[in-house]
Amino acid sequence: MPVTIRTLKKRKQEGAKFSVLTAYDATFSRLISEAGVEAMLIGDSLGNVIQGQPSTVPVTLAQMVYHTECVARGNQGSLVIADVPFMGAATLERILEAATALMQAGANVIKLEGGAWLCEAVTVLARNGIPVCVHMGLTPQSVNAFGGYLVQGKDDTSAKALLDDAIALDRAGTALFVLECVPRGLSGEITAAVAAPVIGIGAAPECDGQVLVLHDMLGLNPRPARFVKDFMADTGDIGAAIQAYDRAVKDGSFPAEQHCF
Ligand code: KIV
């Protein structure tokens, strides 16, 4: 049975964790989906790991469409989430253009980086049959505004703003959330406060699911972030590493305390 948004919502309601990995091509898409990973994200992190760019800012919609098509061809039943790239969320018109292109390329869900200002877009897309994943916390497309890849929601004011934004977006019909680099306590609070499943990365084991960049969990990043675990180190085999990641997320052993803030 293919994984759908309903599958992930049911897992949240049952308290069962689910795993997500980034994918950029058909071969890894087949491997990851055959391993039972519930969802694959065609992340604009492809700018970093495929293109060798210093950030995700240079990634274009045409490139996201190309990689979404590749992943969709290899997919064996995982949910396919595709990123709207830099400036794609600048206006409602641009969001609709990007969402149309990514869904027609084979995505099941589109992901937007941002906060409560996306409520209108979430509602319009939901009305048109497009589930939206909202990426909050450290949103890498805003690295220049943040002044670095920094943990978000550390003080009371910014923590409250993140929680309020998540609640507003949940009410507007957000299907999924990604929380990146948000302190563990706040991540747990947001996960409990919203009906939509929350996927953590550098967030908390209390999140409903976890995501990592494929190249990071395969030990290919020479300077991995604190929240990364190298699953190749123990297995030495790509397929086994993906299966070990999936098991560790589902049995709650990943992320551990040392992967959180
Ligand atoms: O682009 C990406 O891979 C992402 C994940 C890190 C969540 O947004």
Side-chain angles (χ1 to χ4, degrees), residues 10-53:
K10 191 157 174 279
R11 288 188 83 94
K12 176 169 183 137
Q13 285 155 6
E14 291 169 348
K17 306 288 180 199
F18 60 86
S19 63
V20 184
L21 276 176
T22 65
Y24 315 101
D25 65 35
T27 301
F28 275 103
S29 169
R30 183 179 52 73
L31 268 178
I32 293 168
S33 52
E34 280 177 353
V37 171
E38 276 77 9
M40 292 187 286
L41 168 66
I42 301 97
D44 59 359
S45 52
L46 67 85
N48 306 102
V49 298
I50 304 288
Q51 300 175 345
Q53 304 279 10

Side-chain angles (χ1 to χ4, degrees), residues 22 41 43-45 83 111 135 178 180 201 211 213:
T22 65
L41 168 66
D44 59 359
S45 52
D83 251 337
K111 177 161 84 62
H135 184 155
V178 165
E180 179 166 356
I201 174 165
V211 62
V213 168

Side-chain angles (χ1 to χ4, degrees), residues 85-110:
F86 182 67
M87 286 301 281
T91 63
L92 186 56
E93 198 176 46
R94 292 196 70 161
I95 294 176
L96 298 183
E97 180 201 353
T100 306
L102 293 169
M103 295 299 283
Q104 290 182 341
N108 305 119
V109 178
I110 62 130

Side-chain angles (χ1 to χ4, degrees), residues 12-261:
K12 176 169 183 137
Q13 285 155 6
E14 291 169 348
K17 306 288 180 199
F18 60 86
S19 63
V20 184
L21 276 176
T22 65
Y24 315 101
D25 65 35
T27 301
F28 275 103
S29 169
R30 183 179 52 73
L31 268 178
I32 293 168
S33 52
E34 280 177 353
V37 171
E38 276 77 9
M40 292 187 286
L41 168 66
I42 301 97
D44 59 359
S45 52
L46 67 85
N48 306 102
V49 298
I50 304 288
Q51 300 175 345
Q53 304 279 10
S55 76
T56 59
V57 170
V59 177
T60 65
L61 178 58
Q63 291 162 353
M64 291 308 304
V65 166
Y66 170 77
H67 286 279
T68 301
E69 286 169 347
C70 296
V71 170
R73 282 186 210 114
N75 184 23
Q76 304 297 308
S78 299
L79 187 76
V80 174
I81 307 169
D83 251 337
V84 172
F86 182 67
M87 286 301 281
T91 63
L92 186 56
E93 198 176 46
R94 292 196 70 161
I95 294 176
L96 298 183
E97 180 201 353
T100 306
L102 293 169
M103 295 299 283
Q104 290 182 341
N108 305 119
V109 178
I110 62 130
K111 177 161 84 62
L112 294 167
E113 293 187 6
W117 67 89
L118 293 173
C119 282
E120 186 196 359
V122 166
T123 306
V124 172
L125 290 168
R127 214 166 42 216
N128 285 279
I130 301 181
V132 180
C133 174
V134 179
H135 184 155
M136 301 179 70
L138 171 54
T139 46
Q141 289 167 16
S142 301
V143 62
N144 291 296
F146 291 143
Y149 294 97
L150 307 170
V151 178
Q152 302 296 306
K154 276 169 53 175
D155 59 78
D156 288 352
T157 310
S158 60
K160 185 175 176 329
L162 271 179
L163 178 61
D164 289 349
D165 278 17
I167 290 170
L169 283 158
D170 196 50
R171 290 198 183 123
T174 296
L176 288 172
F177 288 95
V178 165
L179 271 190
E180 179 166 356
C181 291
V182 173
R184 179 173 177 173
L186 176 60
S187 300
E189 210 181 328
I190 293 173
T191 304
V194 297
V198 176
I199 303 163
I201 174 165
E206 288 79 15
C207 293
D208 305 301
Q210 302 294 330
V211 62
L212 280 180
V213 168
L214 176 69
H215 296 57
D216 288 350
M217 58 76 70
L218 292 178
L220 298 172
N221 184 341
R223 287 185 304 280
R226 174 194 169 104
F227 54 76
V228 170
K229 178 170 174 182
D230 172 3
F231 285 86
M232 271 294 261
D234 295 333
T235 56
D237 173 274
I238 291 175
I242 293 170
Q243 283 167 5
Y245 166 74
D246 180 60
R247 266 198 312 277
V249 169
K250 286 178 179 148
D251 70 19
S253 56
F254 178 79
E257 193 57 45
Q258 73 264 26
H259 304 118
C260 302
F261 298 100

